[in-house]
Amino acid sequence: MEYTVQRLASLAGVSARTPRYYDEIGLLKPARVSSAGYRIYGTAEVDRLQQIMFYRELGVGLGEIKQILESPGFDALQALREHRRQLLAKREQLDQLIANLEKTIAQAEGGRTMSDREKFEGFKQKMIAENEARYGEEVRAKFGREALERSNKMLANMTEEQAKALQELSREVIETLKAAYATGDPKGELAQKAADLHRQWLCFFWPQYDKEAHAGLARMYVQDERFTAYYDQDQPGLAQFLCDAILAYTGQEN
Amino acid sequence: MEYTVQRLASLAGVSARTPRYYDEIGLLKPARVSSAGYRIYGTAEVDRLQQIMFYRELGVGLGEIKQILESPGFDALQALREHRRQLLAKREQLDQLIANLEKTIAQAEGGRTMSDREKFEGFKQKMIAENEARYGEEVRAKFGREALERSNKMLANMTEEQAKALQELSREVIETLKAAYATGDPKGELAQKAADLHRQWLCFFWPQYDKEAHAGLARMYVQDERFTAYYDQDQPGLAQFLCDAILAYTGQEN
DNA sequence: GCTTGACCTTTACGCAACGTGAAGGTGTAG
DNA sequence: CTACACCTTCACGTTGCGTAAAGGTCAAGC
């Protein structure tokens, strides 16, 4: 029952490179080496390769497999749990991806003025992605994931007019904010109008408005580089100003 | 509205390496290069980067993104459909993986004699994986996926004794087959006994026995390298002999 | 004007798990 | 004896950047 690389490989359904690579990284050494330098594997190596294949099938990295197989005291169970966590996260991400993709395809199939529509779609998808990336963690923690999913779903199912309204609203927020910034007073009329527009904008995403959450978001804004980079690109300090205005608007300025 | 790499990068929420890399592969060139060699990006480049991020978010490779963005006649819709197909396959694979992993974890949590039990689990999982890999496509096509899933579920839920019985049966098949092979007659008594044992073995996996399916499987055997490699490892021609015996057994030898 | 520190540049190795030649030795069947 | 199939060891290619290393540039403060 001795095997060369090729025989071992075809037995396991992998390429001959695989046992050689495993030898190279010290994961699976041949039982012995023939006088001509051929790798010779025995039944013990077949067993070990099967073990390796098993863990590999579970998506465990070769380094980790080495740990598992080599140290008998290694907490394989804990490793598997951690691995499961990673896989679940990966699947969730994949699901999100597929959902986005399907929406995109559906929309693209519907319309014939592709170029314009595609740009539009791009915008919506980007919004979803950014919304998820920016608020994902925090909103999830605060309201649970359902709210966020509803938010994304709403965004995806928006009509073109709604999306345009959102875009327009977004523009209005910035415009008003800039005008308010010129006054320098975050509690002034213009600033409060900007904060209110921002609330309206927010209501596109959140199922129900919540003052505390709005204020919390405002505080988050000034700490999030992505946000400050976006708002400060024209006028530095604009993000901080918006934050102050919102805190005043929600009455949480302490 | 001009940006250096860092500014552009933080605007998009990526690292500064990313725009440089995109420049390197010709995916996103800066609008111009300053006298000092700095990359300077304008709003057009920001837009393009957003497009790139959009497709990247969908998991499309950078090369493909380049195709999409550069050729106006490129069938983006078709590309997206193909991409969806790949993602769905990937998710199915991931689901299978997670299911296996969870079974393994559950079993490991239950028992305390880990080392033995783990090896046993490894065996079972391997059987599932092999069963899936070997018969997956064909069985799925013939009986629908439900049967296969039931088969896998059965295998996973087998008691240790059942699994040992299966192992023993598997050994018996090979032993009888070898003895029959010595007689040279695939229609002889021993060969028919081997075929019957093989039927019993098969009944561990298939919810109901079907002569036609058994014969079909036999024909498949000699075409499948993984199978022939397994059976021919001791005696070349054994796989073909088993096939002949089964065809005779099922009366489908035409 | 000079230093400091935060930017920028190119070059190039590293990652995971092999795929894929290239160049050459070995084993066996006809 | 000669194919021909198998084996060996380099060693570079893949993806999408991360991460130094070694050095130039820019705005600010002294």
Side-chain angles (χ1 to χ4, degrees):
Chain A
M1 293 291 207
E2 299 200 316
Y3 306 90
T4 62
V5 266
Q6 185 77 295
R7 291 199 176 281
L8 177 70
S10 56
L11 196 67
V14 297
S15 87
R17 179 74 166 94
T18 304
R20 290 202 191 99
Y21 179 63
Y22 289 174
D23 183 11
E24 188 181 330
I25 65 173
L27 179 56
L28 178 67
K29 295 277 183 193
R32 61 189 186 80
V33 178
S34 83
S35 59
Y38 285 24
R39 291 174 181 81
I40 308 293
Y41 299 89
T43 47
E45 285 71 37
V46 174
D47 287 354
R48 187 172 168 98
L49 180 54
Q50 284 175 338
Q51 297 266 348
I52 294 170
M53 300 293 287
F54 164 60
Y55 284 108
R56 207 193 57 169
E57 199 81 10
L58 295 178
V60 183
L62 297 187
E64 208 165 339
I65 294 177
K66 205 175 165 188
Q67 298 285 321
I68 292 173
L69 293 185
E70 278 177 5
S71 51
F74 186 82
D75 193 347
L77 182 55
Q78 194 54 42
L80 290 180
R81 279 208 203 90
E82 168 59 17
H83 195 65
R84 174 179 56 177
R85 203 189 52 71
Q86 288 174 13
L87 287 189
L88 285 173
K90 203 168 170 182
R91 185 176 65 175
E92 202 156 327
Q93 190 188 338
L94 198 58
D95 279 342
Q96 187 76 20
L97 225 115
I98 291 171
N100 277 2
L101 196 49
E102 274 174 352
K103 280 174 223 151
T104 307
I105 290 174
Q107 300 268 354
E109 276 170 342
R112 59 184 192 288
T113 52
M114 276 288 287
S115 56
D116 266 331
R117 199 167 259 284
E118 245 177 355
K119 281 173 80 171
F120 171 69
E121 271 312 304
F123 162 71
K124 281 204 333 194
Q125 298 294 345
K126 196 173 64 61
M127 291 292 286
I128 292 173
E130 282 181 2
N131 190 42
E132 171 74 20
R134 190 176 291 163
Y135 312 123
E137 263 326 300
E138 292 82 358
V139 172
R140 226 194 286 276
K142 268 211 178 75
F143 302 95
R145 35 180 323 202
E146 277 182 53
L148 180 62
E149 270 160 22
R150 240 175 314 168
S151 153
N152 281 346
K153 202 169 285 180
M154 269 172 54
L155 194 52
N157 294 331
M158 265 193 304
T159 67
E160 193 155 350
E161 293 92 67
Q162 281 178 306
K164 272 182 182 155
L166 180 60
Q167 233 172 341
E168 172 63 16
L169 194 54
S170 182
R171 204 188 48 75
E172 259 187 282
V173 171
I174 295 196
E175 202 169 291
T176 311
L177 187 61
K178 278 184 190 169
Y181 185 66
T183 72
D185 179 14
K187 296 181 189 172
E189 198 182 332
L190 264 177
Q192 290 308 296
K193 189 185 170 194
D196 187 65
L197 285 169
H198 187 263
R199 177 192 58 75
Q200 289 178 42
W201 180 78
L202 207 56
C203 287
F204 266 85
F205 302 102
W206 286 2
Q208 70 249 26
Y209 178 72
D210 179 341
K211 274 191 179 183
E212 276 191 30
H214 195 182
L217 197 62
R219 287 202 194 84
M220 233 173 60
Y221 272 8
V222 289
Q223 290 168 2
D224 190 326
E225 294 166 18
R226 288 166 299 198
F227 181 83
T228 52
Y230 171 64
Y231 267 60
D232 286 1
Q233 71 187 58
D234 304 313
Q235 314 225 340
L238 211 56
Q240 182 63 55
F241 185 79
L242 175 59
C243 175
D244 293 341
I246 291 173
L247 289 181
Y249 179 80
T250 58
Q252 312 261 333
E253 55 214 305
N254 50 330
Chain B
M1 294 286 209
E2 298 201 317
Y3 306 90
T4 62
V5 267
Q6 185 78 295
R7 291 199 177 282
L8 177 69
S10 57
L11 195 66
V14 298
S15 88
R17 179 71 168 94
T18 304
R20 289 204 191 99
Y21 180 62
Y22 290 174
D23 183 10
E24 189 182 331
I25 64 174
L27 179 56
L28 178 67
K29 295 279 182 192
R32 62 188 185 81
V33 178
S34 82
S35 60
Y38 285 24
R39 292 174 181 80
I40 309 293
Y41 299 89
T43 46
E45 285 70 38
V46 173
D47 287 353
R48 188 172 168 98
L49 180 55
Q50 284 175 337
Q51 296 268 349
I52 294 171
M53 301 291 286
F54 164 59
Y55 284 107
R56 208 193 56 168
E57 199 82 10
L58 295 179
V60 183
L62 297 186
E64 206 165 341
I65 294 177
K66 206 175 164 189
Q67 298 285 321
I68 292 173
L69 294 184
E70 278 176 6
S71 54
F74 187 80
D75 192 347
L77 182 55
Q78 193 53 42
L80 291 178
R81 280 209 201 92
E82 167 59 17
H83 196 67
R84 175 179 56 178
R85 203 188 53 71
Q86 288 175 11
L87 287 188
L88 286 173
K90 204 166 169 183
R91 185 177 64 175
E92 201 155 327
Q93 188 187 338
L94 196 59
D95 279 343
Q96 186 74 21
L97 223 120
I98 291 170
N100 277 1
L101 194 52
E102 274 174 353
K103 278 178 220 152
T104 307
I105 290 174
Q107 300 267 357
E109 277 170 342
R112 58 183 191 288
T113 53
M114 276 287 287
S115 56
D116 267 331
R117 202 166 256 285
E118 244 179 354
K119 281 175 78 172
F120 170 68
E121 272 311 306
F123 161 72
K124 282 200 332 194
Q125 298 292 347
K126 195 172 65 63
M127 291 293 287
I128 291 174
E130 282 180 2
N131 190 42
E132 171 75 20
R134 192 175 290 162
Y135 312 122
E137 262 328 298
E138 293 81 359
V139 173
R140 227 195 286 275
K142 268 212 177 73
F143 302 95
R145 34 182 326 197
E146 278 182 52
L148 180 62
E149 270 159 21
R150 242 176 312 167
S151 154
N152 281 347
K153 204 169 283 178
M154 269 173 53
L155 195 52
N157 294 330
M158 264 194 303
T159 67
E160 193 155 349
E161 294 93 66
Q162 280 177 307
K164 272 182 182 156
L166 180 60
Q167 235 172 340
E168 173 62 16
L169 194 54
S170 182
R171 205 188 48 73
E172 261 187 280
V173 171
I174 294 195
E175 203 169 291
T176 311
L177 186 61
K178 278 183 189 169
Y181 185 65
T183 73
D185 180 14
K187 295 181 188 172
E189 198 181 331
L190 264 176
Q192 290 307 297
K193 190 185 168 193
D196 188 66
L197 283 170
H198 186 263
R199 177 192 59 76
Q200 288 179 41
W201 178 78
L202 206 56
C203 288
F204 265 85
F205 301 102
W206 286 1
Q208 69 249 27
Y209 179 71
D210 179 341
K211 273 192 178 184
E212 277 190 32
H214 194 183
L217 198 63
R219 288 202 194 84
M220 235 173 58
Y221 272 8
V222 290
Q223 291 169 0
D224 190 326
E225 294 167 19
R226 289 165 301 197
F227 181 82
T228 52
Y230 172 63
Y231 268 60
D232 286 2
Q233 69 188 58
D234 305 313
Q235 314 225 340
L238 211 58
Q240 182 63 56
F241 185 80
L242 175 59
C243 174
D244 293 342
I246 290 174
L247 289 182
Y249 179 80
T250 57
Q252 312 260 332
E253 55 213 304
N254 50 329

